[in-house]
Amino acid sequence: MDIKTFEAWFVTGSQHLYGEEVLQKVAGHAREMVSWMDGSGRLPVRIVFKPVVTTPEAITAVCQEANLSPTCIGLVTWMHTFSPAKMWIAGLNLLRKPQLHLHTQFNRDLPWSEIDMDFMNLNQSAHGDREYGFINSRMRLKRKVVVGFWQDEDVLEQMAAWMRAASAWQDAQGARVARFGDNMREVAVTEGDKVEAQIRLGYSVNGYGVGDLVKYVSDVPEKAVDRLVEAYDEEYLVADSLRPGGAQRGALREAARIELGMRAFLEEGHFKAFTTTFEDLHGLSQLPGLAVQRLMADGFGFGAEGDWKTAALVRAMKVMSAGLAGGTSFMEDYTYDWDPECPKALGAHMLEVCPSTASQKPSLEIHPLSIGGKADPVRLVFSVPSGPAINVTLVDMGSRFRMIVNEVDVVQPEKPLARLPVASAVWVPRPNLKTAAKCWILGGGAHHTGFSQALTREHLLDFAEMAGLECLVIGSDTRPDDFAQALRWNDLYYYLSKGL
């Protein structure tokens, strides 16, 4: 996954009041800024200079061009001089791409002894951006506002987070999610309005019979299976029973066949995310475990038990985290350690945790699975390294989609998990387990999540703003009474906003 194929367009606003010489200086300054930022190595996508806009027609044209560009993820807007904001109304009404309003100025320091009115006329961002900010607020437009000198570290970090979120938003538009089988029966939180998701979030979700997948699995050539199991032998610490000549080598070959068939189905159909369910495996010899883990490692989103919302969320988080240190995976809050000194949560799933989160070379193992009614499945077993992470859920509340982000700190198990043959992570939720779990439950958060040690709350907040999602953060300063009050205010807001 290479988000460097995307571009953010840098659009500078001005007007003809100051004369052609000033406009040439404005363009020169903007070009210099873009060249420096693009070459800084701090931004995850290209930032591209666009000609300075000075008329309603030019503004409308660049907004329309951005809408149609498959590589443009959004506009970075900046008013070098005063740009009368009525000029922007038509273009902003048409703009469908995310926007970052950069409130900066070309010069960092004031040349105190040399300031004259020519300097003041040229360098008017302090009030030019206020005029532009007003029209965005008046039109109730979603955007991110970043304030500071354009070479400052915090400014570049905020821009980079927005670019990653905008890349995920662009990736979601027209994306396809495949569901092999349906949701786990009688489960509520994995259900949702797929039509509303396509309207609001851009991706389509469609179901396919497991027989459709089985056909691809059955057609996998034996030589392809040979090559893949040899790759397994090289990449992982393979259990003796799965090695050449081992009693369960055939099960490993079957896992490879499932991976190749599933990969062919997804790639041929241009899918970016998928779901499976252990209740619908007709024609498959084992629940896909290794296949799912490896496909996630290659960037596919995944949700278990038909959870298409989490599958699409994991895909978005994969895009956002491309190139960053730290892994991103499907995850589930499984069980707790109520140690009074430091309560913790143990996250895992039956099989499907992405090896991008592994702290060491994964072990390739086979063990019984007490549900699903199929043969013992092959899976990668590993633990997750210590460090900060986020756990994210996306749920359908009926009137809107709600995202909840919990900041956590991954720690190592106090004792070996010798009899738990799955990938797992142990974490301490912020501010603590009791508060985090209470707020999560008050907010209706799901048991399935997107987990990442590469992303921060800022990435998800930026994405939620672009997508129009309600977003609640559980972090170090969260209090249950404040969180509950925010839920009540949000219910009122989203109810009233339909009529605004």
Side-chain angles (χ1 to χ4, degrees), residues 81-334:
T81 66
F82 196 80
S83 180
K86 288 172 65 176
M87 297 193 304
W88 288 84
I89 293 174
L92 292 176
N93 264 330
L94 294 172
L95 184 63
R96 295 294 177 265
K97 295 290 178 79
Q99 181 193 175
L100 182 148
H101 181 188
L102 179 59
H103 182 40
T104 189
Q105 62 186 30
F106 177 70
N107 56 297
R108 190 191 70 176
D109 304 316
L110 278 176
W112 297 97
S113 62
E114 301 174 8
I115 293 177
D116 56 18
M117 286 310 300
D118 287 340
F119 181 92
M120 299 287 275
N121 284 336
L122 175 61
N123 297 284
Q124 297 187 58
S125 300
H127 77 293
D129 277 328
R130 282 169 165 78
E131 165 76 355
Y132 182 69
F134 164 76
I135 203 62
N136 277 268
S137 295
R138 174 66 178 80
M139 297 171 70
R140 294 181 173 86
L141 298 177
K142 298 188 293 288
R143 79 278 195 196
K144 181 173 186 174
V145 178
V146 176
V147 180
F149 184 56
W150 49 278
Q151 291 183 346
D152 285 349
E153 188 70 19
D154 65 322
V155 168
L156 294 171
E157 288 177 354
Q158 292 176 70
M159 292 179 67
W162 174 85
M163 288 176 175
R164 289 185 174 280
S167 296
W169 179 246
Q170 178 70 15
D171 179 78
Q173 306 314 299
R176 305 182 68 198
V177 180
R179 298 171 69 234
F180 297 118
D182 205 342
N183 297 79
M184 180 179 172
R185 289 184 281 277
E186 304 295 348
V187 176
V189 76
T190 54
E191 296 284 358
D193 189 334
K194 295 187 286 291
V195 173
E196 187 67 13
Q198 187 166 352
I199 293 170
R200 299 294 178 189
L201 304 176
Y203 57 79
S204 64
V205 183
N206 288 291
Y208 296 86
V210 178
D212 297 330
L213 173 60
V214 170
K215 174 65 166 60
Y216 278 78
V217 173
S218 300
D219 289 346
V220 172
E222 290 299 319
K223 289 186 178 180
V225 175
D226 293 339
R227 289 191 295 269
L228 187 53
V229 293
E230 289 173 4
Y232 294 161
D233 292 335
E234 293 294 324
E235 292 181 40
Y236 309 119
L237 302 173
V238 182
D240 289 342
S241 66
L242 297 176
R243 297 196 66 80
Q248 294 173 299
R249 184 71 169 183
L252 183 62
R253 292 184 61 83
E254 191 60 27
R257 194 183 310 279
I258 292 173
E259 178 187 337
L260 290 166
M262 187 173 281
R263 189 180 295 274
F265 184 100
L266 295 172
E267 291 179 348
E268 186 175 308
H270 303 287
F271 295 102
K272 295 180 178 179
F274 67 101
T275 71
T276 63
T277 175
F278 65 88
E279 289 184 326
D280 196 347
L281 296 173
H282 185 72
L284 294 177
S285 62
Q286 56 182 265
L287 175 65
L290 178 61
V292 171
Q293 291 177 296
R294 286 173 52 86
L295 285 164
M296 262 197 290
D298 288 340
F300 286 94
F302 172 75
E305 290 101 49
D307 189 351
W308 53 269
K309 296 187 296 300
T310 301
L313 173 64
V314 171
R315 167 65 185 190
M317 294 173 68
K318 287 282 187 181
V319 175
M320 280 185 254
S321 63
L324 293 177
T328 297
S329 178
F330 170 80
M331 188 61 76
E332 179 173 280
D333 290 72
Y334 234 102

Side-chain angles (χ1 to χ4, degrees), residues 58-76:
I59 292 166
T60 300
V62 76
C63 290
Q64 290 177 318
E65 184 185 0
N67 288 341
L68 296 174
S69 170
T71 57
C72 174
I73 60 170
L75 302 186
V76 177

Side-chain angles (χ1 to χ4, degrees), residues 413-420:
E414 294 181 5
K415 298 179 181 179
L417 298 168
R419 300 184 64 183
L420 184 66

